[in-house]
């Protein structure tokens, strides 16, 4: 509802007309540094860059030889404030623009800029209003340049950005894996007219064609035919209509299919053809549907011809005409599939509506080199594709009167593909897409919902001195519960729905309410206990014969992997039985033959020459890394194999972080000369993955890690744990040898894999010829 007359208090106006409190829409506005805006015919998209202050868990080693020597614990944990960069994108109807600008003006505190970058046709219309309200000079940017910059940005930084729309399928949205090299591609932007742009590089693009028949044509002709003035209402009419009542089909002319030309009877021979021969009034719904088909078919054929002419297989559709409407996406998809004979797919973008404003923002922030960084979507602050979240608008699949939000966090490290992937363009991290598996989806959504209270309790326990911890934990629960409810209704809301995305969303929500590492004290205690057992374990291993020792090392790896606080079956044992340890975990393991068992192949390989370098992705703290991984690493080093040990950059569950691994390794080196000399000679190197997830996406790894992998001629990849080797990467193929091992600590998953709880997966693979 637009404000009129005198200026009301912005907070009061917005509370009456907007479903969310304004401070939950324009988050971190007080720290906004830079703005951009894209104003179209009916929607405004606002972007701003802000700094976000949040808590992070830090570890510091005690000096046990000096002033800190009286400490029994290995290291101290502190929670510190850290400032990071975040991009905010908000989309709302133009009717709200004045009261939104009022609210922004009232809350601007630390903005550094005197200019707001603007794009879109409405930037001219609202220029004076923006300058008056915000006191910022409007600097207009070229619309197409902004669009391309925005498209490049989302394709590079959001893994499941592009999707194919399949009407009546389950799911309707099928997300595509983005190729590491996104160029070249064709962008078909359908606004009032149609622009067809060939994009060859970051700043190299060309408008190769277009049409005056586009969204404006549908809107204008639709208004004349139906007397309906609103674009969305026209689409709603079309969704209810039957075009065959208005269009002349092939069978209306020939009595059936035209076999010689390969034309089916239901094919449209003439749009609106029946209106000239049948004397009756046609319904608004039928006319709107016929018009939609006519324009979509025309655009689809044009796009197909240009794609073939320029030999382009990636064709993205965007613009005002699309806007995520199922009816539009279906007609476009049908058209391009028909005219290309299935050779070209119509691809749509989750954040298509933000492309212009993202591009305008990037133009205004060029001095900060935003493309030098990697960015990640913050699920806690993003509303998702066609959101029906209780946060936004309860239980209705509509955009009217809602605000959509997208937040992108700047990551500390640049993320790239692991160069050892067999084919990075076809790599899919996740083993199961829950959007396509209804039974698995229901199980895991229920599983995460049931675990929520326990996670909240753990979060509170990690901050015993914080008076507001219980209140923040409750807010975390509500936030995450709302996300789960959204995903029940719309599994496609944040891209492909997987166990990894559910875990990552939970971590984002925990961070949102300043619980950076709920398992920090658990990890600290388990690391202390395991280190005291290290020398005893090594001594018992060294007493064994070679073959017996190899099996004991693998069994130790598997036993260590049992200690996973993310698995309910394990956490219940650990909480109820303080005596449960390394030997007890070994007893839990499935006896050979294992569920997946290529151990004999692995042993045969070990009888041959040593590997040059092994890259090991580590899972849990405590017994896992200290009594499982390090004895195994020690054996590899003794064989003459260099080792790169990769740990999470940030905390997730009880997974070991890079900083924790440095302290643990230093302590082990003080007890073991093999580890000590390997560290000194740089035959053992510790690196961070760039991830803060219990799972592993090998297409988004720290660039420093990938460079080291190349330098050391790595020829063995080892991935351990359910999150990294089962939920993700189970089917990953490599250019070198690989070993994936895990203990199945979930009864439902074990049964699905035709095993039992604590079944073992030991999967040694050699590269395909």
């Amino acid at each position: 509802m637009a404000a009129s007359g005198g200026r009301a208090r912005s907070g009061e106006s917005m509370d009456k007309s907007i479903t969310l409190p304004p401070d939950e829409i324009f988050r971190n506005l007080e720290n906004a540094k830079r703005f951009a805006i894209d104003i179209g015919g009916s929607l405004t998209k606002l972007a701003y860059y802000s700094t976000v202050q949040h808590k992070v868990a830090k570890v510091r080693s005690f000096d046990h030889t000096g002033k800190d020597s009286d400490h029994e614990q290995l290291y101290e944990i502190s929670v510190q404030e850290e400032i990071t960069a975040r991009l905010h994108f908000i989309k709302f109807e133009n009717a709200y623009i004045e009261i939104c600008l009022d609210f922004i003006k009232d809350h601007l505190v630390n903005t550094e800029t005197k200019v707001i970058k603007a794009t879109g046709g409405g930037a001219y219309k609202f220029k004076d209003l923006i300058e008056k309200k915000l006191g910022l000079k409007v600097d207009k940017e070229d619309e197409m340049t902004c669009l391309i910059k925005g498209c490049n940005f989302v394709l590079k930084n959001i893994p499941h950005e592009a999707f194919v729309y399949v009407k009546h399928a389950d799911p309707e949205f099928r997300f595509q894996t983005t190729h590491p090299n996104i160029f070249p591609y064709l962008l078909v932007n359908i606004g009032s007219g149609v622009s067809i742009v060939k994009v060859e590089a970051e700043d190299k693009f060309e408008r190769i064609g277009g049409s005056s028949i586009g969204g404006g044509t549908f809107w204008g002709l639709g208004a004349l035919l139906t007397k309906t003035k609103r674009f969305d209402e026209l689409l709603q009419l079309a969704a209810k209509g039957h075009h065959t009542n208005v269009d002349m089909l092939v069978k209306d002319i020939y009595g059936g299919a035209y076999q010689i030309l390969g034309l089916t009877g239901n094919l449209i021979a003439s749009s609106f053809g029946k209106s000239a021969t049948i004397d009756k009034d046609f319904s608004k719904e039928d006319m709107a549907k016929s018009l939609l088909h006519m324009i979509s078919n025309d655009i689809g054929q044009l796009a197909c011809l240009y794609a073939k002419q320029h030999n382009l297989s990636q064709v993205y559709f965007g613009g005002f005409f699309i806007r995520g409407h199922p009816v539009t996406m279906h007609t476009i998809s049908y058209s391009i599939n028909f005219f290309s004979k299935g050779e070209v797919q119509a691809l749509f973008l989750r954040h298509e509506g933000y492309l212009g404003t993202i591009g305008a923002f990037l133009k205004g922030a060029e001095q900060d080199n935003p493309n030098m960084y990697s960015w990640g979507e913050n699920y806690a602050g993003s509303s998702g594709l066609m959101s029906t979240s209780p946060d936004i608008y309860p239980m209705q699949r509509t955009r009217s009167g809602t605000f959509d939000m997208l937040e992108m966090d700047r990551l500390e490290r640049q993320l790239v593909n692991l160069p050892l992937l067999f084919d990075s363009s076809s790599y899919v991290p996740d083993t199961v897409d829950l959007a396509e598996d209804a039974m698995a989806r229901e199980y895991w959504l229920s599983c995460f919902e049931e675990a929520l209270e326990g996670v909240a309790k753990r979060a509170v326990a990690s901050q015993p001195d914080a008076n507001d911890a219980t209140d923040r934990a409750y807010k975390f629960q509500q936030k995450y519960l709302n996300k789960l409810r959204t995903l029940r209704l719309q599994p496609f809301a944040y891209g492909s729905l997987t166990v990894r995305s559910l875990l990552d969303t939970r971590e984002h929500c925990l961070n949102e309410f300043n619980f950076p590492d709920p398992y920090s004290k658990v990890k600290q205690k388990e690391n202390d206990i395991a280190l005291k057992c290290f020398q005893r374990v090594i001594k018992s291993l060294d007493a064994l014969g070679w073959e017996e020792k190899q099996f004991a090392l693998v069994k130790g790896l598997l036993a260590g992997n049992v200690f996973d606080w993310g698995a309910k079956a394990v956490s219940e044992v650990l909480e109820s039985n303080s005596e449960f340890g390394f030997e007890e975990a070994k007893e839990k393991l499935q006896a050979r033959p294992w569920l997946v068992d290529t151990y004999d192949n692995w042993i045969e390989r070990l009888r041959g020459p040593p590997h040059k370098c092994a890259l090991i992705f580590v899972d849990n703290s405590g017994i896992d890394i200290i009594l499982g991984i390090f004895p195994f690493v020690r054996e590899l080093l003794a064989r003459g194999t260099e080792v790169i040990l990769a740990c999470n950059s940030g905390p997730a569950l009880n997974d070991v972080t890079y900083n924790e691994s440095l302290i643990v390794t230093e302590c082990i080196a003080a007890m073991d000369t093999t580890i000590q000399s390997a560290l000194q000679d740089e035959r053992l190197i510790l690196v961070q993955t760039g991830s803060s997830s219990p799972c592993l996406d090998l297409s988004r790894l720290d660039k420093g890690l990938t460079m080291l992998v190349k330098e050391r001629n790595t020829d063995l990849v080892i991935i351990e744990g359910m999150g990294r080797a089962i939920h993700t990467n189970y089917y990953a193929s490599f250019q070198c040898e690989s070993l994936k091992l895990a203990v199945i600590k979930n009864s439902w998953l074990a049964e699905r894999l035709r095993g039992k709880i604590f079944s073992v997966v030991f999967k040694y693979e050699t590269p395909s010829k």
Side-chain angles (χ1 to χ4, degrees):
M1 181 162 56
S4 58
R7 180 183 169 199
R9 287 295 301 164
S10 58
E12 293 171 7
S13 299
M14 292 183 75
D15 284 345
K16 291 176 182 177
S17 55
I18 296 172
T19 56
L20 263 182
D23 58 347
E24 289 188 34
I25 297 171
F26 301 100
R27 288 155 37 99
N28 306 308
L29 189 60
E30 66 278 6
N31 295 317
K33 307 294 183 186
R34 200 170 279 115
F35 285 89
I37 197 165
D38 174 14
I39 308 176
S42 65
L43 291 174
T44 295
K45 286 80 70 177
L46 178 74
Y48 59 94
Y49 160 90
S50 77
T51 54
V52 181
Q53 193 166 7
H54 61 98
K55 288 181 167 47
V56 292
K58 298 283 187 180
V59 294
R60 183 182 74 88
S61 178
F62 285 122
D63 179 8
H64 291 277
T65 61
K67 63 180 180 179
D68 293 333
S69 58
D70 57 331
H71 287 281
E72 290 185 9
Q73 292 173 327
L74 178 62
Y75 54 82
E76 69 171 334
I77 304 164
S78 62
V79 176
Q80 300 174 15
E81 296 287 342
E82 191 171 88
I83 294 175
T84 57
R86 178 173 287 172
L87 298 180
H88 304 257
F89 304 100
I90 300 139
K91 181 165 51 178
F92 51 90
E93 292 182 357
N94 289 351
Y96 293 105
I97 190 167
E98 190 164 353
I99 51 177
C100 286
L101 291 175
D102 281 342
F103 183 82
I104 292 168
K105 181 183 179 181
D106 287 349
H107 291 78
L108 279 183
V109 179
N110 299 318
T111 184
E112 298 170 349
T113 185
K114 301 301 179 186
V115 173
I116 181 168
K117 291 288 184 179
T119 188
Y124 293 107
K125 179 180 177 182
F126 292 98
K127 178 178 181 291
D128 293 341
L129 179 67
I130 294 168
E131 291 185 340
K132 178 184 175 184
K133 294 283 186 183
L134 299 185
L136 302 176
K137 182 180 181 295
V138 172
D139 186 7
K140 185 79 167 63
E141 290 290 344
D142 176 69
E143 192 170 355
M144 192 55 65
T145 302
C146 291
L147 199 68
I148 301 302
K149 277 189 170 292
C151 193
N152 294 341
F153 181 85
V154 296
L155 287 174
K156 287 191 295 185
N157 287 286
I158 303 180
H160 292 136
E161 176 63 26
F163 64 88
V164 173
Y165 181 78
V166 185
K167 188 179 179 182
H168 301 313
D170 186 12
E172 300 166 270
F173 298 79
R174 295 182 178 172
F175 292 91
Q176 309 295 296
T177 302
T178 305
H179 192 283
N181 182 11
I182 63 173
F183 306 109
Y185 66 84
L186 197 70
L187 179 63
V188 182
N189 189 54
I190 314 169
S192 297
V194 180
S195 288
I196 299 177
V197 185
K198 179 183 179 182
V199 185
E200 297 183 82
E202 191 66 47
D203 294 307
K204 185 181 179 183
F205 62 89
E206 177 189 4
R207 186 183 187 275
I208 57 175
S211 172
S212 62
I213 300 172
T217 313
F218 174 70
W219 199 349
L221 279 178
L224 291 172
L225 290 168
T226 68
K227 309 304 180 188
T228 301
K229 296 294 185 181
R230 287 179 61 86
F231 187 85
D232 285 347
E233 287 177 13
L234 267 175
L235 283 171
Q236 288 167 14
L237 287 174
K240 299 172 185 174
H242 299 280
H243 75 97
T244 55
N245 293 333
V246 182
D247 293 341
M248 187 175 290
L249 308 182
V250 169
K251 66 183 179 184
D252 295 325
I253 301 173
Y254 299 104
Y258 196 157
Q259 299 286 5
I260 295 174
L261 296 181
L263 304 176
T264 64
N266 290 322
L267 197 66
I268 299 173
S270 174
S271 295
F272 288 94
K274 288 179 181 175
S275 61
T277 59
I278 299 175
D279 186 19
K280 72 167 191 174
D281 291 331
F282 296 94
S283 74
K284 292 180 179 181
E285 290 82 359
D286 292 345
M287 288 190 291
K289 187 63 167 283
S290 176
L291 182 62
L292 183 64
H293 275 281
M294 181 181 78
I295 291 169
S296 298
N297 285 336
D298 182 62
I299 294 168
Q301 185 173 28
L302 266 179
C304 181
L305 290 171
Y306 278 109
K308 286 190 170 184
Q309 182 184 8
H310 292 268
N311 195 29
L312 297 170
S313 58
Q314 298 179 101
V315 184
Y316 299 103
F317 288 82
F320 175 79
F321 186 64
I322 304 293
R323 283 177 54 191
H325 287 283
V327 177
T328 313
M329 292 190 295
H330 170 65
T331 52
I332 289 280
S333 298
Y334 180 86
S335 172
I336 201 165
N337 181 68
F338 174 81
F339 288 113
S340 72
K341 294 183 171 62
E343 292 178 8
V344 179
Q345 281 187 314
L347 295 168
F348 304 96
L349 301 170
R350 276 179 59 210
H351 300 105
E352 174 276 323
Y354 295 109
L355 301 187
T357 189
I358 290 172
F361 173 82
L362 293 173
K363 286 287 288 181
E366 284 177 341
Q367 66 267 37
D368 294 331
N369 294 317
N371 282 321
M372 284 180 57
Y373 302 96
S374 290
W375 299 78
E377 183 175 2
N378 174 31
Y379 296 135
S382 297
S383 49
L385 180 67
M386 293 182 65
S387 179
T388 58
S389 168
D391 280 352
I392 307 298
Y393 206 75
M395 307 300 287
Q396 292 193 28
R397 186 166 172 159
T398 175
R399 282 183 138 78
S400 180
T402 69
F403 280 57
D404 279 355
M405 289 91 76
L406 165 66
E407 292 184 356
M408 302 284 289
D409 286 331
R410 192 177 78 187
L411 307 179
E412 290 183 14
R413 316 188 73 78
Q414 192 172 359
L415 305 182
V416 296
N417 274 286
L418 178 69
L420 298 175
L421 286 169
F422 184 76
D423 180 9
S424 57
S425 64
S426 62
Y427 168 70
V428 177
D430 303 286
T431 305
V432 177
D433 186 342
L434 301 181
E436 296 182 3
D437 189 331
M439 187 182 296
R441 179 169 72 242
E442 179 56 35
Y443 170 77
W444 286 111
L445 287 171
S446 297
C447 184
F448 277 89
E449 191 169 333
E450 289 166 10
L452 190 50
E453 188 175 346
V455 174
K457 286 179 179 177
R458 176 67 58 186
V460 172
S462 70
Q463 298 180 6
D465 300 327
N467 295 329
D468 64 342
T470 301
D471 181 53
R472 284 186 286 115
Y474 175 76
K475 290 177 180 177
F476 151 71
Q477 278 184 272
Q478 295 308 303
K479 184 88 168 185
Y480 189 56
L481 189 60
N482 284 338
K483 296 292 180 186
L484 293 177
R485 287 173 178 168
T486 294
L487 291 168
R488 280 188 187 277
L489 294 168
Q490 296 172 232
F492 47 77
Y494 299 99
S496 291
L497 178 62
T498 63
V499 173
R500 174 169 64 102
S501 68
L502 290 171
L503 286 163
D504 290 351
T505 302
R506 189 170 71 184
E507 293 297 324
H508 291 187
C509 291
L510 281 166
N511 283 315
E512 183 77 12
F513 295 100
N514 280 321
F515 293 109
D517 192 357
Y519 290 85
S520 56
K521 296 188 186 306
V522 171
K523 291 186 288 182
Q524 181 188 45
K525 179 182 176 182
E526 291 186 346
N527 284 331
D528 285 337
I529 292 170
L531 280 168
K532 291 170 184 172
C533 305
F534 177 76
Q535 287 177 303
R536 175 174 55 79
V537 169
I538 293 298
K539 185 177 180 180
S540 65
L541 286 167
D542 287 345
L544 301 173
W546 183 84
E547 192 158 337
E548 194 180 1
K549 182 179 182 181
Q550 302 313 308
F551 185 70
L553 284 165
V554 166
K555 196 171 181 181
L557 258 180
L558 295 166
N561 193 244
V562 168
F563 291 83
D564 180 356
W565 281 85
K568 183 181 177 183
V570 175
S571 61
E572 287 176 350
V573 170
L574 295 176
E575 285 176 338
S576 62
N577 182 5
S578 59
E579 299 300 315
F580 186 85
F582 193 42
E583 297 305 319
E584 287 77 10
K586 289 179 185 178
E587 294 300 318
K588 288 275 188 184
L589 297 177
Q590 173 192 19
R592 288 194 71 197
W594 294 322
L595 186 62
V596 177
D597 194 338
T598 55
Y599 177 76
D600 292 340
N601 296 346
W602 169 249
I603 284 297
E604 191 61 34
R605 172 62 184 87
L606 291 184
R607 296 185 194 279
H611 297 88
K612 294 185 185 71
C613 180
L615 169 63
I616 304 178
F617 290 98
V618 187
D619 192 0
N620 306 306
S621 283
I623 288 176
D624 192 1
I625 185 172
I626 294 167
L627 304 186
I629 289 290
F630 264 104
F632 192 82
V633 166
R634 188 174 174 269
E635 183 71 9
L636 289 174
L637 292 167
R639 279 174 53 81
T641 300
E642 295 180 348
V643 176
I644 301 170
L645 214 56
C647 302
N648 267 10
S649 297
L653 296 171
N654 66 313
D655 294 2
V656 64
T657 65
Y658 169 70
N659 288 330
E660 290 162 352
S661 73
L662 292 175
I663 297 171
V664 165
T665 305
E666 183 184 0
C667 290
I668 290 174
M671 294 186 276
D672 189 276
T673 55
T674 302
I675 300 297
Q676 186 179 60
S677 63
L679 284 171
Q680 291 170 346
D681 300 339
E682 295 189 344
R683 290 181 294 110
L684 171 60
I685 301 177
L686 277 67
V687 295
Q688 49 188 312
T689 61
S691 171
S692 299
S693 171
C695 296
L696 180 63
D697 181 354
L698 296 173
S699 69
R700 288 173 68 80
L701 291 177
D702 178 64
K703 190 174 182 179
L705 183 159
T706 63
M707 292 173 66
L708 187 62
V709 161
K710 289 180 183 177
E711 290 169 9
R712 295 299 172 107
N713 297 313
T714 302
D715 54 355
L716 174 64
V717 175
I718 300 174
I719 307 175
E720 68 139 349
M722 267 179 57
R724 291 168 179 78
I726 304 295
H727 292 312
T728 52
N729 299 304
Y730 187 75
Y731 297 116
S733 297
F734 299 92
Q735 299 171 25
C736 63
E737 296 170 50
S738 63
L739 177 59
K740 302 164 191 171
L741 64 165
V743 179
I744 310 296
K745 293 151 293 203
N746 177 282
S747 298
W748 182 87
L749 181 60
E751 287 175 15
R752 214 170 204 230
L753 296 172
R754 298 183 179 177
K756 296 179 180 178
I757 194 159
F758 298 114
S759 289
V760 169
V761 171
F762 188 96
K763 192 179 184 185
Y764 167 67
E765 295 174 303
T766 54
S768 303
K769 299 297 183 184

